[in-house]
Amino acid sequence: DFFFAPNHNLNLETSLKAGFRAFMLDLCDCNNRVEFCHSECILGTRDPSTVFAAIVSFLEENLSEVIVLELQIDPGSDMFELYSVMQDVDGFSDMIYEHPDASSDWPFLSQLVDDNKRILIFQHRGPNCQTAGQCPEGFHSTYNFMFETPFSLESKEELLDYTDSCRIQTGQSDADFFILNHFAGSPNSFFPEESTAREVNQIDVLESRTEACASLYDGRIVNFVAVDFWSVGDTAKFVQEYNKALA
């Protein structure tokens, strides 16, 4: 999609076909228009309407699938403007699930499928969605429901230092969902390194770190594994095997 220094080689549509169901997207204000970008509009953008239309198309063809979007709300961007785009994409807003409150249990995936509420939306850096009127319908504040490991590790060696890389950077360990950030930069480059991803996305590394991090939090299930360059290594295979073991 013509991004400079992207975190992935292939687009969201291709990742859906490959088995990925959760996506971290940055919402940016680019020339007074909401776009998806990666921190800076100049590095490349995507029109949210095309992303949402692709998700609807996928869900209509795959009636038992559920999609999770985790949005970073960058300065100046407007969630309500984004929600207006969602409403303009036929079928998208109808499938958004709205959770009652932080104290309620989350429904099983089967219930979301039965109710056709198969899009879950979380956001961070925006206002607290627990406060009435602060967020569009169906938007949830990420760290009211999730905790995550560090997202600013600078090398493979730092990632493999489980004492540090498994610590909680944001959120609380008793939250409902666990995000394992499984990517690292390079001390020699500001940009994402595919060579690093090729090493850490190997199944033995994913298995070892997931087990190590989960063990620090009473064996908590890891709900989301966030990686760079998903198309290199074994991420999809690992997650499929991990989920089968939980079934």
Side-chain angles (χ1 to χ4, degrees):
D1 291 310
F2 308 108
F3 277 77
F4 179 74
N7 288 76
H8 303 284
N9 291 326
L10 303 175
N11 63 16
L12 179 144
E13 290 86 340
T14 307
S15 66
L16 283 167
K17 294 176 182 177
F20 290 83
R21 300 293 179 264
F23 304 93
M24 293 177 165
L25 304 173
D26 288 7
L27 182 65
C28 305
D29 175 25
C30 300
N31 296 318
N32 296 316
R33 175 186 170 94
V34 290
E35 300 274 5
F36 289 133
C37 77
H38 192 199
S39 299
E40 298 290 341
C41 302
I42 196 172
L43 298 178
T45 63
R46 278 209 71 179
D47 181 350
S49 64
T50 64
V51 173
F52 299 147
I55 290 172
V56 170
S57 177
F58 176 83
L59 291 176
E60 288 178 342
E61 294 174 3
N62 299 272
L63 299 178
S64 62
E65 300 297 336
V66 174
I67 300 296
V68 179
L69 302 180
E70 202 288 309
L71 307 176
Q72 176 174 295
I73 310 301
D74 287 346
S77 56
D78 187 337
M79 288 189 294
F80 286 94
E81 184 179 348
L82 183 70
Y83 185 66
S84 178
V85 175
M86 293 175 176
Q87 290 178 307
D88 287 340
V89 175
D90 189 37
F92 189 92
S93 61
D94 294 336
M95 285 192 279
I96 296 174
Y97 170 75
E98 183 171 10
H99 197 58
D101 55 66
S103 63
S104 299
D105 292 334
W106 286 84
F108 290 108
L109 290 175
S110 58
Q111 188 63 55
L112 294 172
V113 169
D114 289 345
D115 295 342
N116 199 27
K117 295 295 183 180
R118 295 185 289 137
I119 300 172
L120 279 65
I121 302 174
F122 298 88
Q123 65 83 22
H124 68 280
R125 292 192 181 177
N128 187 349
C129 294
Q130 295 292 99
T131 303
Q134 291 297 302
C135 300
E137 295 177 16
F139 280 51
H140 310 91
S141 292
T142 300
Y143 303 118
N144 287 342
F145 300 101
M146 302 185 184
F147 69 96
E148 66 177 345
T149 58
F151 49 78
S152 55
L153 302 174
E154 293 186 353
S155 67
K156 173 188 174 183
E157 289 69 30
E158 286 190 10
L159 185 76
L160 298 181
D161 175 8
Y162 300 151
T163 302
D164 184 60
S165 76
C166 290
R167 65 181 170 83
I168 296 175
Q169 176 151 330
T170 319
Q172 303 294 323
S173 63
D174 60 352
D176 296 322
F177 302 112
F178 182 176
I179 302 172
L180 183 72
N181 288 315
H182 190 79
F183 49 85
S186 166
N188 301 316
S189 175
F190 175 76
F191 302 113
E193 291 278 348
E194 183 175 347
S195 59
T196 301
R198 192 175 299 279
E199 294 183 68
V200 303
N201 290 357
Q202 297 301 311
I203 197 164
D204 58 332
V205 180
L206 285 158
E207 288 176 342
S208 175
R209 184 160 178 262
T210 299
E211 182 179 349
C213 292
S215 70
L216 295 179
Y217 306 108
D218 300 320
R220 285 287 304 266
I221 293 171
V222 173
N223 303 101
F224 304 101
V225 180
V227 299
D228 280 346
F229 299 102
W230 64 263
S231 57
V232 302
D234 305 311
T235 305
K237 179 181 179 182
F238 164 71
V239 171
Q240 288 168 356
E241 292 183 358
Y242 184 80
N243 287 338
K244 285 180 181 177
L246 294 174

